[in-house]
Amino acid sequence: MSNKPERDSFIVARYLQSHGYRVVPVNPTYAGTEILGEKVYPSLREAAGALGAGGQQIDVVDCFRKSDDIPPVAREAIAIRARVLWMQLGVENQLAADMASCAGLDVIMDRCIKIVHASLT
């Protein structure tokens, strides 16, 4: 997640927060700082570990990365037992989708979670 208000990841996170969802930022560049009032973690594993200590878990891993960068994210999503691997608009990686799907995650590719949520409300 970016700390820049004009970036899609920031806009989507702010939208989700405004609708009652907790968004946990992951970005190694900003680790240890806060974005939108939430501590930023360097990796999904570290974020999941911190949340797990408080009895919480990460349900959806929303990917704002290049398509080629998604397989390692999918492996982390599987490792932390996320429920959904969501790839934003323009992001598609069939290998990552197959890995996550075989591990029991629901997989969404090339869709914006903000647009989908807004269409359902």
Side-chain angles (χ1 to χ4, degrees):
M1 184 169 147
S2 176
N3 66 352
K4 297 176 179 131
E6 68 275 9
R7 300 290 301 262
D8 290 337
S9 62
F10 188 96
I11 293 164
V12 169
R14 184 176 52 211
Y15 170 86
L16 291 171
Q17 280 186 331
S18 75
H19 285 83
Y21 295 94
R22 182 170 183 199
V23 177
V24 179
V26 174
N27 186 324
T29 302
Y30 306 118
T33 66
E34 285 190 4
I35 300 175
L36 293 171
E38 290 283 348
K39 181 179 177 179
V40 181
Y41 293 91
S43 70
L44 281 172
R45 289 178 195 257
E46 290 189 44
L51 269 63
Q56 299 175 325
Q57 72 176 55
I58 296 173
D59 293 319
V60 178
V61 175
D62 191 7
C63 305
F64 286 85
R65 303 286 306 270
K66 293 177 185 173
S67 295
D68 290 342
D69 295 339
I70 301 301
V73 177
R75 284 190 280 278
E76 276 198 285
I78 293 164
I80 67 165
R81 299 179 186 216
R83 294 185 180 147
V84 178
L85 178 67
W86 192 296
M87 295 176 238
Q88 282 295 130
L89 282 174
V91 182
E92 296 181 68
N93 188 298
Q94 194 60 54
L95 173 65
D98 291 345
M99 281 191 301
S101 183
C102 285
L105 281 72
D106 291 328
V107 177
I108 310 295
M109 290 194 287
D110 194 26
R111 297 281 182 270
C112 176
I113 198 168
K114 177 182 178 280
I115 292 170
V116 171
H117 182 273
S119 74
L120 298 174
T121 57

